[in-house]
Amino acid sequence: MTGKAKSHQFRAETRKVLNILTHSLYTNREIFLRELLSNASDALDKLRYLQSKGESVRDPDLPLEINITIDKDKKIVEVTDSGVGMTEREMIDNLGTIAKSGSEEFLKDVEGAQPGGDGSEASAAPKPSAMEIIGRFGIGFYSTFMVADEVEVISVPALGDSAPYLWKSKGEGSFSTRALDGEEAAKYKRGTTVRATIKEDAAEFLEAFELRGIIREHSNFLAFPINVNGERVNTTPALWRDPKFSITQEQYNDFYKYLTYDKTPPLDVVHVSVDVPVQFTALMFIPGVTQDSMFRGQDDWGLDLYVRRVLISKNNHDLAPQYLGFLKGVVDTEDLPLNISRETLQQNVVLRKISQTIIKQVLNHLEKMAKTDQDKYEKFWQLHGSYFKFAFNDAANKEKTVPLLRFASSVTEGDSLTSLDAYIDRAKTGQKEIWYISAPSRDAVRVNPLMDGFRRKGIEVLYLLEPVDEILLSNLQTYKDCSFKAIEHSVSADLESFPDTVDETPKVEPLKGDQKAELDKLLKTIHALLGDRVASVRISDRLSNSPAALAATTAHSSSMEKIMRAMQKDNTTPQKIMELNEDHPMTRSLLRIHKANAADPLLKDIVINLFDSLLLMDGYMDDPYAMADRTIKLMEEAANWYTEIRKL
């Protein structure tokens, strides 16, 4: 004979919360299983603690595990643990009220957001997300009513000889409790069973594959076995909890593949366990392949946040800054509540301390890699340098991040790179600038006429091959008393104090008298031919091996000007100054043609093609088809002259 059921009334605010859970939350309803499994895991942890103290517990030989069974015919899902269990009083206290979980704040927030004001289904407002609501207000067990018409809880306490008790409710105004005895009581051993009668519109939760997927997503790393219809689901261990010295590289690789589905082993592993200022463990991987997801979407980067092995937030953006967005891994802490929302996370002091510690640990790891394994660090930079360059936004860690930056330069070959410290060590005596040039490739730098003087003086130039590079240096401005300066803003005075280190091309006889006057006329003719495409035409004092170059008319470099124009959606070609090398053979030829006939069509074709070539090297091209046509005509002229001279 069973005990008589006793009816209990939910408190008024509890009834309102249950009404909202039952009728108004339709998104992320799978979260109910995460909450039940977290409760079960906590109960098992408490039981294990009792055993460690030497307490005599009921059914001591029961394995510590969680079992989920599905009865599709009866539409029932049961979640059973062999944990500490509850007495009747504990069931009434723990399951009969939500007051301790912030129900009043919950109601105020939800009701204030809905025009109906009562959280009813009739409200026209969008249905709130179960993930956010439950996470924010810690009403985990009650989330079961989102998917169940009725919930029963049968519990057998681990201590003492109290009878099993049944708690039962439809999530409306009341619940009941009654003692079990006889054959009914004999069915249950130590622990708790939550039996949910699934709603018609939640039938997907009667499918084993659906529950397995939820477990793998949210609860895969709980410390205790989770079985669905007798088959264990969570077979991957929470590797980050193990001591580093006991983990093999193969285990790290396997876990990385499980976490990312990336078949390529990680380049490196950062495994840290921290006790102060907060307690957490982090297992982070530097992928061995380029991660191209940074600009594909807001949620494509970040570490996964766990609280006591339960997934709280995937791709969390608050654990590490975006310049460390290449990292893949997990962070697990005991110092956050299990039920915490995204909004609360963003304002949480504990999370900020975790983030600060992660940044410090990762930067220390990269610093050590750069010192002890240069080849690996250069491989890291080739793969993930595009992420790391955005560290210029992190002023607090500038002293750590800037020495880790790497660039191609005029003294590095192939894929080799240099640090800013190495550049300064190689700088000329008295050199106070770190010179740089922005270009799309090394080949583009090679033909850039502005490199002439720097090659002649043997002064190293950094190659900025990505748009972000110049933004980075513009933000830094200086490093170790050296200022960053684009070579297009150089003047002869910047280099004249340094001796030449390479032989110059033999110089032609300097222009004199009438030749100088003719040169002035040529400059005016060139300006007239180019019109408003140039700001002015002048003789250069910094070219040696190139016939001409374009000089900026603003304080911005060409690359920065392109970025600014792109932001303003300005597709026009900027006006620049055309500089001419008066000693170059091409200039001398133009001078002779001009002297013979200033209106010679060939002069116009050469000048315009020369200017277009400079524009092309500068990253601009107004009319490539016209340039191609002129080039063919000039080649035809050159071929005719060559055959006449050689009498071919």
Side-chain angles (χ1 to χ4, degrees), residues 377-628:
Y377 189 78
E378 289 202 357
K379 179 69 179 297
F380 154 75
W381 192 262
Q382 290 159 9
L383 292 173
H384 310 298
S386 294
Y387 274 86
F388 195 84
K389 290 172 184 177
F390 284 86
F392 68 78
N393 286 316
D394 188 358
N397 291 291
K398 181 178 178 179
E399 291 186 4
K400 284 279 190 180
T401 59
V402 176
L404 292 171
L405 299 173
R406 294 295 182 270
F407 302 90
S409 86
S410 56
V411 304
T412 63
E413 297 180 358
D415 293 330
S416 297
L417 303 168
T418 183
S419 66
L420 294 177
D421 288 308
Y423 179 102
I424 291 173
D425 288 343
R426 291 189 295 266
K428 301 288 186 180
T429 302
Q431 181 182 339
K432 292 298 182 183
E433 296 87 10
I434 299 176
W435 294 100
Y436 67 84
I437 180 172
S438 296
S441 66
R442 284 177 175 268
D443 289 337
V445 174
R446 181 176 53 81
V447 298
N448 193 301
L450 296 177
M451 286 291 294
D452 283 1
F454 292 88
R455 291 192 188 99
R456 189 173 72 249
K457 299 293 184 179
I459 295 176
E460 184 175 1
V461 177
L462 297 180
Y463 296 169
L464 309 189
L465 305 180
E466 293 184 342
V468 67
D469 292 339
E470 190 159 0
I471 298 174
L472 164 62
L473 296 190
S474 296
N475 275 268
L476 292 179
Q477 296 185 349
T478 62
Y479 181 64
K480 291 188 175 179
D481 298 327
C482 292
S483 59
F484 294 103
K485 191 171 183 179
I487 66 169
E488 60 190 289
H489 291 141
S490 66
V491 294
S492 59
D494 291 327
L495 306 182
E496 63 184 10
S497 63
F498 303 107
D500 292 350
T501 59
V502 295
D503 292 334
E504 292 186 84
T505 303
K507 291 193 174 186
V508 296
E509 196 68 29
L511 296 175
K512 299 177 182 177
D514 293 343
Q515 292 176 314
K516 280 284 189 182
E518 190 64 38
L519 180 62
D520 290 338
K521 294 177 183 178
L522 174 63
L523 296 180
K524 292 178 181 178
T525 299
I526 291 175
H527 196 175
L529 289 171
L530 295 175
D532 59 6
R533 298 181 71 189
V534 293
S536 63
V537 182
R538 69 189 183 194
I539 294 300
S540 175
D541 60 0
R542 53 182 176 169
L543 298 178
S544 55
N545 297 320
S546 302
L550 293 179
T553 57
T554 68
H556 302 297
S557 68
S558 297
S559 176
M560 185 61 71
E561 191 167 29
K562 287 190 192 78
I563 294 172
M564 294 169 65
R565 284 174 173 266
M567 293 173 63
Q568 297 167 2
K569 297 183 179 180
D570 183 354
N571 297 321
T572 61
T573 302
Q575 262 196 349
K576 293 201 171 187
I577 299 169
M578 185 177 181
E579 293 189 354
L580 216 61
N581 179 2
E582 68 176 71
D583 294 331
H584 194 274
M586 179 178 286
T587 306
R588 295 299 174 94
S589 296
L590 290 175
L591 195 59
R592 288 193 292 271
I593 296 171
H594 185 269
K595 185 176 181 180
N597 180 11
D600 192 324
L602 180 64
L603 178 67
K604 178 180 179 180
D605 285 344
I606 293 175
V607 167
I608 294 178
N609 239 44
L610 175 60
F611 179 75
D612 282 349
S613 297
L614 296 175
L615 276 184
L616 185 61
M617 286 188 284
D618 211 33
Y620 296 97
M621 173 49 59
D622 288 340
D623 190 346
Y625 304 106
M627 180 182 179

Side-chain angles (χ1 to χ4, degrees), residues 1-2 180-188:
M1 184 175 178
T2 60
L180 304 183
D181 57 18
E183 292 183 3
E184 190 177 22
K187 295 178 184 177
Y188 299 98

Side-chain angles (χ1 to χ4, degrees), residues 141-181:
F141 165 75
Y142 302 94
S143 63
T144 312
F145 288 103
M146 294 188 302
V147 300
D149 286 322
E150 183 176 77
V151 177
E152 295 177 314
V153 180
I154 303 98
S155 197
V156 180
L159 299 178
D161 55 2
S162 173
Y165 267 83
L166 168 68
W167 182 99
K168 186 175 182 179
S169 178
K170 291 185 177 181
E172 296 172 347
S174 64
F175 63 93
S176 65
T177 60
R178 68 177 176 88
L180 304 183
D181 57 18

Side-chain angles (χ1 to χ4, degrees), residues 216-217 220-221 236-240 251-264 266 268-270 282-287 291 302-306 311 313-315 326-331:
R216 292 191 181 102
E217 172 73 14
N220 199 55
F221 299 112
T236 303
L239 195 66
W240 63 85
Q251 287 175 301
Y252 278 132
N253 292 349
D254 288 344
F255 186 82
Y256 172 76
K257 291 176 185 178
Y258 164 82
L259 190 68
T260 64
Y261 303 104
D262 181 4
K263 295 180 180 179
T264 304
D268 212 346
V269 181
V270 185
L283 177 53
M284 298 167 287
F285 298 92
I286 301 174
Q291 303 294 299
L303 300 169
D304 296 342
L305 175 63
Y306 285 76
L311 179 64
S313 176
K314 197 166 182 64
N315 295 327
F326 55 85
L327 290 172
K328 304 296 180 184
V330 301
V331 177

